[in-house]
């Protein structure tokens, strides 16, 4: 039972990270200018990606008989607040939005890395987390590539 609860906690942490990611990209889409349709489309894809991952994680939490988290992490809320303050001073240009998005992607990678460091994860859960982390890494690298091309 203890392992089931610990696994559900890890999964719920990742649900919250994906909620942060969804909210972060929704905010980023609003900050973009009308000419930034390429980024708006990319960010929409990333929102959909996190919604899919959140559902897969939540399904495993529910299967364990535990409650599914519906909120965001405290650090995620702090991050979004920091984005608001930074935007006031720097505007809503592509470079700033991409910098903020990369910061969020780094946070997601760190959360998934920590989750994989849990020792007692069942192999199917470890595989699910690992696959999501790999896919999110590709998203991170795309954001970084776009950010670097703006410099």
């Amino acid at each position: 039972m203890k392992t089931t609860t610990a696994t559900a906690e890890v999964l719920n942490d990742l649900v919250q990270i994906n909620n942060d990611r969804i909210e972060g990209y929704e905010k980023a889409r609003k900050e973009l200018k009308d000419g930034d349709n390429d980024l708006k489309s990319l960010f929409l894809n990333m929102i959909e990606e996190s919604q899919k991952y959140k559902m897969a994680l939540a399904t495993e939490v529910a299967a364990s008989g535990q409650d599914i988290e519906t909120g965001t992490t405290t650090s995620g809320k702090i991050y979004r607040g920091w984005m608001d303050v930074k935007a006031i001073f720097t505007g809503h240009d592509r470079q700033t939005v991409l910098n903020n998005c990369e910061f969020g992607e780094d946070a997601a990678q760190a959360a998934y890395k920590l989750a994989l460091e849990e020792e007692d994860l069942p192999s199917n859960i470890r595989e699910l987390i690992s696959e999501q982390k790999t896919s999110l890494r590709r998203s991170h690298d795309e954001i970084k590539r776009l950010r670097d091309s703006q410099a």
Side-chain angles (χ1 to χ4, degrees):
M1 183 69 169
K2 185 178 178 187
T3 301
T4 301
T5 302
T7 299
E9 286 176 13
V10 168
L11 292 171
N12 270 323
D13 285 348
L14 296 178
V15 166
Q16 288 179 314
I17 287 295
N18 278 285
N19 285 341
D20 285 342
R21 195 167 179 262
I22 290 164
E23 285 191 29
Y25 279 114
E26 286 172 347
K27 176 161 184 36
R29 289 186 82 222
K30 290 176 187 161
E31 288 189 9
L32 291 168
K33 295 181 174 71
D34 289 340
D36 292 323
N37 290 333
D38 60 328
L39 289 184
K40 287 181 182 184
S41 177
L42 175 66
F43 293 170
L44 183 60
N45 289 339
M46 291 185 176
I47 290 166
E48 291 169 354
E49 176 182 55
S50 272
Q51 288 170 334
K52 181 177 85 172
Y53 294 160
K54 181 176 86 166
M55 287 303 300
L57 296 164
T59 298
E60 293 296 334
V61 173
S64 73
Q66 303 293 315
D67 292 332
I68 301 164
E69 287 292 335
T70 57
T72 57
T73 64
T74 303
S75 61
K77 290 174 186 168
I78 291 167
Y79 164 65
R80 283 188 300 281
W82 179 83
M83 267 178 85
D84 287 338
V85 171
K86 190 169 181 181
I88 291 168
F89 294 108
T90 59
H92 303 287
D93 63 280
R94 287 173 68 96
Q95 181 77 38
T96 300
V97 171
L98 289 166
N99 279 335
N100 290 335
C101 290
E102 187 187 4
F103 179 84
E105 291 296 333
D106 287 343
Q109 283 296 304
Y112 273 81
K113 180 179 182 289
L114 279 172
L116 289 169
E117 290 173 1
E118 287 292 321
E119 293 180 13
D120 295 328
L121 289 177
S123 60
N124 66 313
I125 300 298
R126 184 172 302 283
E127 185 176 330
L128 172 68
I129 293 170
S130 182
E131 287 171 4
Q132 288 187 3
K133 182 181 185 301
T134 299
S135 181
L136 288 170
R137 184 68 199 188
R138 285 190 293 270
S139 294
H140 169 277
D141 292 348
E142 176 68 6
I143 292 293
K144 186 176 185 318
R145 184 190 65 74
L146 287 168
R147 189 220 45 210
D148 291 348
S149 73
Q150 297 299 306

